[in-house]
Amino acid sequence: MPKPALILASTSPFRRELLARLGLPFETANPGVDEALLPDERPEAGALRLSQAKAEAVASAYPEALIIGSDQVACLDGQVFGKPGNHANAVRQLRAMRGRSVNFFTGLCLLDASSGRSHLRGVPTLVTFRDLTDAEIDAYLRKEQPYNCAGSAKSEGLGIALIARIDGEDPNALIGLPLIALCDLLRIENVSVF
């Protein structure tokens, strides 16, 4: 019996690079989902909802596939830090987070489009930022321009210099796709990476 197609419901080059590490053939699809949290929605619940919404958004185009959806929300003291979009917003985010520990919660969904069955996992990562000066924040942002990353820092790049400590179960989760949890979910669907 042939393996079902594997679809990554994301246009993120970071998620694409992470998934490629598993050596499985896959395609990507743009889910076109509004990533805003609902009013009064907890960050963890929002990340899980959005990961599932992304997978479901492309399911009709790939009715026999296994579809991966993932979303990440950064939160500090109840304040959500999404993708900053520009330099000024990124400066505000990093100033608020400097010297503090921020929860980056990554939601993961593996959807079997043929049966409609979905598996959800949430993977928290606690990131402690260095007590950065305004000059360090500005210099970092001008070099890396992480305006499409929740929390304004790319840990897979120069952003690692902003971080004092990372506590979590999967280092890939902070980049946006928790591969350890994904491997577990793929095994449930009888997909082996070996």
Side-chain angles (χ1 to χ4, degrees), residues 61-96:
Y62 302 94
E64 301 298 318
L66 289 175
I67 304 170
I68 301 163
S70 186
D71 192 77
Q72 185 177 78
V73 178
C75 185
L76 172 65
D77 297 334
Q79 182 179 359
V80 172
F81 294 93
K83 297 174 182 175
N86 62 50
H87 187 82
N89 289 340
V91 167
R92 278 192 288 280
Q93 285 188 358
L94 289 176
R95 283 180 178 168

Side-chain angles (χ1 to χ4, degrees), residues 42-70:
R42 295 192 41 78
E44 296 87 350
L48 289 170
R49 177 185 59 79
L50 289 168
S51 68
Q52 186 165 14
K54 288 176 180 183
E56 290 173 348
V58 302
S60 63
Y62 302 94
E64 301 298 318
L66 289 175
I67 304 170
I68 301 163
S70 186

Side-chain angles (χ1 to χ4, degrees), residues 138-153:
D138 190 64
Y140 165 69
L141 292 174
R142 294 204 183 280
K143 283 185 180 180
E144 192 148 70
Q145 301 180 7
Y147 307 135
N148 64 341
C149 296
S152 303

Side-chain angles (χ1 to χ4, degrees), residues 23-193:
L24 297 170
F26 69 94
E27 296 176 39
T28 60
N30 185 347
V33 169
D34 178 358
E35 295 181 353
L37 294 181
L38 300 174
D40 299 323
E41 186 173 36
R42 295 192 41 78
E44 296 87 350
L48 289 170
R49 177 185 59 79
L50 289 168
S51 68
Q52 186 165 14
K54 288 176 180 183
E56 290 173 348
V58 302
S60 63
Y62 302 94
E64 301 298 318
L66 289 175
I67 304 170
I68 301 163
S70 186
D71 192 77
Q72 185 177 78
V73 178
C75 185
L76 172 65
D77 297 334
Q79 182 179 359
V80 172
F81 294 93
K83 297 174 182 175
N86 62 50
H87 187 82
N89 289 340
V91 167
R92 278 192 288 280
Q93 285 188 358
L94 289 176
R95 283 180 178 168
M97 295 186 296
R98 63 180 160 198
R100 308 281 310 276
S101 294
V102 180
N103 182 18
F104 286 77
F105 190 86
T106 306
L108 175 67
C109 176
L110 182 64
L111 171 68
D112 179 341
S114 64
S115 70
R117 179 179 57 244
S118 63
H119 309 279
L120 291 171
R121 290 276 176 91
V123 181
T125 306
L126 191 64
V127 177
T128 303
F129 285 85
R130 297 182 191 282
D131 193 8
L132 305 161
T133 66
D134 287 350
E136 289 172 320
I137 289 170
D138 190 64
Y140 165 69
L141 292 174
R142 294 204 183 280
K143 283 185 180 180
E144 192 148 70
Q145 301 180 7
Y147 307 135
N148 64 341
C149 296
S152 303
K154 290 183 185 177
S155 65
E156 68 277 18
L158 181 59
I160 197 69
L162 306 177
I163 297 170
R165 180 182 174 109
I166 298 173
D167 295 297
E169 61 192 60
D170 186 339
N172 303 298
L174 187 56
I175 303 170
L177 187 63
L179 293 180
I180 293 172
L182 180 58
C183 287
D184 290 343
L185 299 183
L186 288 170
R187 287 181 70 140
I188 291 170
E189 290 294 332
N190 297 311
V191 175
S192 173
V193 298

